[in-house]
Structure formats: structure tokens, C-alpha cells
Amino acid sequence: VKSEGPKLVPFFKATCVYFVLWLPTSSPSWFSALIKCLPIFCLWVFLLAHGINFLVSHRSASRILAGLIFSAVGDAFLIWQEQGYFIHGLLMFAITHILYSSAFGMKPLDLKAGLLMGLVSSCCYAFLYSYLSGPFTYLVAVYIALIGFMGWRAVAGVQLCNDLWTWTKLSACIGAMLFMVSDLTIALNKFCFPVPYSRFIIMATYYAAQMLIALSAVESRDEEDSRKRS
């Protein structure tokens, strides 16, 4: 944590800038898109600071970086969601969840966690279903399946019962859960009913989720250092 903390200072500053400026969503602009995406840009820099060779040689880290890139594009689309770009943003974040799932891997499998995440995802969709219409009926279903799968792979990696967890795997797990909270708040606010302080909840959980998932990429380097010491 001490070694990674200073690299995250630009991210925290950029996040503060977003919440201080708090640009109105009613007047989308390239400037508001830049301010919204700036913390994610800083997470790109955080991963790149570990070296290009590190990213090239560790697929999980490079996939998380790719996920952050698609996230930034999705954020930009959502700035203009009232102009018809919501589906475009949804697609970008769907790709992000596929990349994150791939980065977290399929080992250990942990079917119990998968069943639990499947149940939670099904309940969320069942609640939203009556509020959905048109293409959103199946688009939201696919999206929930993808983010639920991503959450499963993040939770499965922790292994608290077997005492095999690491702080980076735990950060991925917490990050995935926060991402789900953020997206569920978006869905409730857009399709169901106004959520009090929705924008703050959405963005606070979203930025925290992305930071924690970016931190989980450091796991690859930690494992490499351990092998060298042994």
C-alpha cells in the first residue's frame, strides 16, 4: 500500500476536481466529459507507471488497462445519454466487464459464489423487468449477466475460508461489488424511480470501484517478486 499510494495521488486529485466542479448534467460538453473521465485517465497513468514491459508480460494487468480505456469511452458516451448515446455507453461498459472477468480468471471456480451472484443478478433483473421496454428488455438482461459474471470471478478469487486471500484480490472483490452498486443505482434512477443523491452515489462508488480494480492489477507483479525471492 505504501509503494502504490503515491501513484494514486493524481487520481484522488482528479476525483476531487470532479466533485468540486460538479458540472451540470443538463448541459453536456467536451469539457464536462474531460472532467468526468479525468480520474480514469489517471488510473491509466497509474498502471502505465509500472512499466510497459510489466503490462505486456502480464495479461491480467493489460486487460484491466484495456477495461479502463473502454470505461472512459463509456463515460464520455453517458455524458450525452439524453441525446441517444446511453446504449453506446452500455456497450462500452459491457466490454469493460468482459475484460475484467478475463483479467480475474476462472481459477478457482467457486461454484457457490457463482450461484449466489447468479441469484443476486436474477433478483435485480426481475425487479427491473416490469420497468423495461423495447430493446432495453434484453440489453439490460445481457448487461446484468456480464457484470454478475465479473462479480463472481472477483469474489471467487478471494478465498477467505482457505486463508489464501491477498489484499489485491480483496480490492478486486470490493471493487466489483461497488461497480454493481453504481450500475444498479443508474438502472433504478433511469428506469424505475428517482434515487435521492443518485449522481453522488453513482460516481463515488464508480470511482472507488475503478481504483480498487486497478490496484488488483499489482497482484501480478507481487507474484513475480515472490518467485524471484524464492
Side-chain angles (χ1 to χ4, degrees):
V1 175
K2 289 181 180 179
S3 63
E4 301 302 329
K7 299 187 186 78
L8 287 170
V9 170
F11 165 80
F12 289 119
K13 288 183 177 179
T15 303
C16 289
V17 168
Y18 172 83
F19 283 109
V20 168
L21 291 182
W22 203 244
L23 298 170
T25 56
S26 57
S27 54
S29 66
W30 285 108
F31 179 70
S32 59
L34 173 63
I35 295 301
K36 184 182 181 183
C37 296
L38 193 57
I40 307 303
F41 295 158
C42 292
L43 291 177
W44 296 4
V45 175
F46 166 75
L47 289 179
L48 290 169
H50 291 84
I52 298 297
N53 290 335
F54 167 72
L55 292 172
V56 171
S57 59
H58 296 88
R59 291 183 178 180
S60 60
S62 60
R63 287 169 184 171
I64 287 175
L65 176 60
L68 288 169
I69 293 172
F70 278 98
S71 293
V73 178
D75 282 331
F77 276 129
L78 291 181
I79 288 287
W80 285 276
Q81 61 177 293
E82 298 303 325
Q83 285 71 36
Y85 288 95
F86 181 80
I87 292 179
H88 299 72
L90 197 70
L91 175 61
M92 293 300 103
F93 280 106
I95 295 172
T96 294
H97 297 316
I98 292 172
L99 288 165
Y100 285 168
S101 300
S102 178
F104 298 149
M106 290 302 296
K107 294 181 180 180
L109 194 59
D110 196 348
L111 291 177
K112 290 182 179 179
L115 289 172
L116 177 60
M117 200 59 63
L119 178 62
V120 171
S121 299
S122 298
C123 289
C124 289
Y125 182 70
F127 180 83
L128 292 170
Y129 180 77
S130 60
Y131 295 94
L132 302 173
S133 60
F136 285 113
T137 303
Y138 59 86
L139 288 175
V140 171
V142 172
Y143 187 85
I144 288 177
L146 289 174
I147 194 172
F149 185 82
M150 186 272 290
W152 169 32
R153 298 321 310 147
V155 171
V158 178
Q159 291 187 281
L160 288 172
C161 296
N162 298 327
D163 200 29
L164 296 175
W165 65 278
T166 61
W167 70 270
T168 47
K169 291 185 182 298
L170 186 60
S171 71
C173 176
I174 297 172
M177 295 301 101
L178 289 174
F179 216 135
M180 295 179 73
V181 170
S182 179
D183 281 358
L184 179 59
T185 307
I186 290 175
L188 292 174
N189 193 64
K190 183 173 181 64
F191 300 114
C192 304
F193 47 79
V195 177
Y197 309 106
S198 60
R199 186 179 171 196
F200 176 80
I201 295 170
I202 290 165
M203 297 311 299
T205 52
Y206 170 69
Y207 285 142
Q210 294 283 40
M211 180 196 70
L212 290 168
I213 291 173
L215 272 172
S216 72
V218 184
E219 179 73 18
S220 301
R221 194 180 67 170
D222 290 345
E223 290 175 352
E224 181 181 50
D225 292 343
S226 296
R227 285 196 298 268
K228 286 180 180 178
R229 286 194 294 269
S230 61

